[in-house]
Amino acid sequence: MKKFEVCIRGKNFLINRDGHARKHGFYAVRFVEANDMSDALEIVMGGIKTELKGAVLNDKSDPPAVNVDDIYEVFYFQDTVEYKGKSILPEGFVWE
């Protein structure tokens, strides 16, 4: 199996934080082992969807968007990733 680093960007997520629902974006980085980039993307996108299940309040007429900004084949997994000026852990989300 190959190792991949996948950088994700989410936009237009209606999330209730601190008792107030408002729209947020996020950055996330995930490391996965997969046969190829296509499998890595499928694993990561499925995982993101599962992680956010129940937290997203968007109406179907105004859906959130998740895009893959970058995907790299790597030789080892890192503890943190510097991405677009942010230090991101390979778990959780950096909300804006």
Side-chain angles (χ1 to χ4, degrees):
M1 288 257 195
K2 298 177 182 178
K3 295 176 179 359
F4 295 93
E5 173 184 318
V6 184
C7 302
I8 302 292
R9 175 80 170 105
K11 295 180 182 178
N12 197 42
F13 278 78
L14 184 60
I15 303 287
N16 188 349
R17 295 180 71 193
D18 302 323
H20 302 288
R22 68 180 200 119
K23 293 202 177 167
H24 296 273
F26 69 82
Y27 291 97
V29 174
R30 298 294 183 268
F31 293 105
V32 296
E33 289 186 310
N35 292 321
D36 56 32
M37 282 188 182
S38 178
D39 286 347
L41 290 175
E42 187 175 321
I43 292 166
V44 169
M45 295 306 256
I48 294 287
K49 185 176 181 179
T50 299
E51 288 180 66
L52 292 173
K53 187 176 183 176
V56 181
L57 305 173
N58 291 65
D59 186 271
K60 289 183 181 185
S61 66
D62 186 26
V66 178
N67 297 301
V68 176
D69 273 356
D70 289 309
I71 182 168
Y72 305 99
E73 185 176 349
V74 296
F75 295 103
Y76 60 91
F77 296 147
Q78 300 179 50
D79 293 333
T80 62
V81 175
E82 289 297 320
Y83 184 68
K84 297 202 177 194
K86 300 177 186 308
S87 183
I88 302 176
L89 297 172
E91 56 195 39
F93 301 91
V94 176
W95 292 99
E96 308 183 288

